[in-house]
Amino acid sequence: MKIACVADSKCILGEGPVWDERTQTLHWVDIKAPAIWRLDPKTGQTQTWPMPHRVGAIALREKGGLVAAMKPGFALVDLEKATVDIIARPEEHTPDNRFNDGACDPMGRFWAGTMDDLEKSPTGHLYRLDKDLSVTRFEAGFVIANGIRWSVDGRRMYFVDSAARTIWVYGFDVVKGVPGMRQVFAQLGKADGWPDGLCVDADDHVWGAHWGAGRITRYRPDGSKERTIEIPAPNVTCCCFGGENFDTLYVTTARIGLDEKALSAAPLAGGGFAITGLGVRGRAAPCFRG
Ligand code: BGC
Ligand code: CA
């Protein structure tokens, strides 16, 4: 196994890596810059696009461009044309909230959760954006709605409730796009930090980032720990598989919340990392079909 910093991006809150098979590039966000980043691993070149609003998550659109969950709501983003169109504002009643993590389900609907930006009030909701751009609100009461992804068959939805240090697993009706009963998938303790973003590999195992504990855990489908990987930055936010054969694990990290001492001990904090030699493959993230 080898871990390398592939983008010394010094993101304030680097998050939400997405591999684009078409261009063989990695996109991710810096929620608080706010900005969208892109890395071409073949050349090592990065590009950055400043965004007009805080951007919690992005997914690729089938039609090209991106869908995003931003501070004012859902948006369609075209980086080449430099356009950001807000298409829905479901959280106008909670001005202290912002969108956080998000992803598409296997049928190409985009899901994203919201959180109190001060991380105090349980005002976070979970939303579904359909192909026709209509929005449905689901569960409420999260302080920090975080990573959301699906099992390979789409019948399980993993959802991270960071402040409660809980990763939930919901039954999921793929056809209707509705989550059912939930149970605890993994409960973290204080020494584990907070669960943040996650991804599901081709063997249906879950890779979960630990904010405040500098590591990633791979869980078996029953929630037991399969392995742990140390990351040279304490605030590990999310991961996704990418690369030609989907055998590289890309990891995002954040600088926010680290004092000078912590930053000098972890100078690469806020960077993007690539882990190879894991002997595991991921799969393409579903695109937004709207
Ligand atoms: C949020 C951060 C938060 C962290 C803690 C991230 O996804 O964007 O604001 O501090 O999770 O788990
Ligand atoms: Ca996150």
Side-chain angles (χ1 to χ4, degrees):
M1 190 198 83
K2 204 180 127 217
I3 173 159
C5 178
V6 285
D8 188 7
S9 46
K10 299 213 171 359
C11 289
I12 303 167
L13 186 47
E15 278 274 6
V18 179
W19 179 256
D20 184 349
E21 261 188 298
R22 291 176 282 204
T23 57
Q24 294 287 305
T25 59
L26 184 78
H27 289 82
W28 71 100
V29 299
D30 183 341
I31 299 178
K32 294 202 169 178
I36 296 178
W37 282 75
R38 182 160 71 193
L39 166 75
D40 179 345
K42 287 230 164 73
T43 61
Q45 297 260 321
T46 53
Q47 269 175 284
T48 325
W49 291 266
M51 287 290 121
H53 314 285
R54 290 192 166 184
V55 50
I58 50 173
L60 304 172
R61 286 177 75 197
E62 232 167 46
K63 294 177 183 161
L66 307 169
V67 63
M70 292 188 151
K71 162 83 189 163
F74 288 109
L76 300 178
V77 177
D78 188 318
L79 296 175
E80 312 309 330
K81 293 189 189 133
T83 56
V84 174
D85 297 318
I86 306 288
I87 50 169
R89 298 174 188 266
E91 288 254 298
E92 275 183 314
H93 59 291
T94 41
D96 297 334
N97 271 12
R98 66 161 166 88
F99 270 97
N100 200 33
D101 207 327
C104 289
D105 72 20
M107 301 291 270
R109 313 170 187 100
F110 183 58
W111 293 72
T114 56
M115 60 176 275
D116 171 19
D117 211 2
L118 296 172
E119 305 186 2
K120 290 201 165 72
S121 313
T123 48
H125 290 91
L126 187 58
Y127 291 95
R128 188 188 79 202
L129 175 70
D130 286 352
K131 287 181 221 180
D132 64 2
L133 308 189
S134 62
V135 176
T136 307
R137 181 185 298 170
F138 286 90
E139 273 213 67
F142 307 107
V143 179
I144 305 174
N146 225 324
I148 181 164
R149 298 292 185 271
W150 287 261
S151 60
V152 174
D153 68 4
R155 293 174 65 188
R156 286 155 72 98
M157 180 180 97
Y158 295 98
F159 176 64
V160 179
D161 186 351
S162 290
R165 297 187 208 263
T166 307
I167 306 179
W168 297 102
V169 58
Y170 291 70
F172 190 74
D173 183 327
V174 195
V175 177
K176 294 191 182 130
V178 177
M181 299 273 285
R182 73 177 185 186
Q183 60 189 64
V184 173
F185 176 69
Q187 182 65 52
L188 273 60
K190 262 200 182 145
D192 304 318
W194 287 270
D196 204 327
L198 42 74
C199 73
V200 180
D201 66 30
D203 300 324
D204 241 343
H205 284 45
V206 176
W207 297 74
H210 293 247
W211 177 280
R215 59 181 197 256
I216 288 187
T217 298
R218 185 182 191 226
Y219 302 92
R220 297 184 189 90
D222 66 3
S224 60
K225 281 184 202 166
E226 191 263 346
R227 73 180 91 169
T228 296
I229 297 172
E230 305 286 326
I231 306 295
N235 292 338
V236 187
T237 55
C238 197
C239 56
C240 82
F241 278 92
E244 242 171 316
N245 305 309
F246 280 100
D247 54 3
T248 301
L249 186 70
Y250 287 101
V251 180
T252 51
T253 63
R255 286 176 89 72
I256 198 168
L258 302 180
D259 59 19
E260 254 175 63
K261 203 174 142 212
L263 285 172
S264 62
L268 296 174
F273 298 85
I275 308 176
T276 47
L278 289 165
V280 175
R281 281 185 191 203
R283 61 217 166 95
C287 292
F288 179 52
R289 300 208 189 138

